[in-house]
Amino acid sequence: VYSLDGLLVFGLLLVCTCAYLRKVPRLRTWLLSERRGGWGVCHKAAVIGTRLHVAVSVSCLLMAFYILVGK
């Protein structure tokens, strides 16, 4: 995470992973029940991923295209 594109990739991966983990019932109650602290960041990323799933998926596609072709 030493550059802007690395930070963006990290953020997108965090949002996508947390949104995916939110769909698993046992992990949802175990990991994403806290709303404060470190696990709260995962909870908030999961909420962003589920509410803005179209924008997040388009961002992932654009970032993948940029990394594969642009770099």
Side-chain angles (χ1 to χ4, degrees):
V1 191
Y2 295 113
S3 61
L4 180 63
D5 57 343
L7 185 66
L8 289 174
V9 168
F10 177 75
L12 283 172
L13 287 175
L14 178 73
V15 167
C16 292
T17 303
C18 291
Y20 177 75
L21 291 177
R22 187 176 176 149
K23 298 293 182 183
V24 180
R26 284 192 182 194
L27 291 178
R28 183 178 186 176
T29 58
W30 187 52
L31 291 176
L32 300 173
S33 61
E34 288 291 323
R35 295 179 190 249
R36 287 186 276 161
W39 293 115
V41 173
C42 292
H43 173 75
K44 291 174 185 172
V47 170
I48 290 171
T50 54
R51 289 186 182 170
L52 299 175
H53 62 277
V54 175
V56 171
S57 62
V58 169
S59 300
C60 286
L61 289 173
L62 290 174
M63 185 56 75
F65 182 76
Y66 169 73
I67 288 175
L68 290 175
V69 177
K71 275 188 154 184

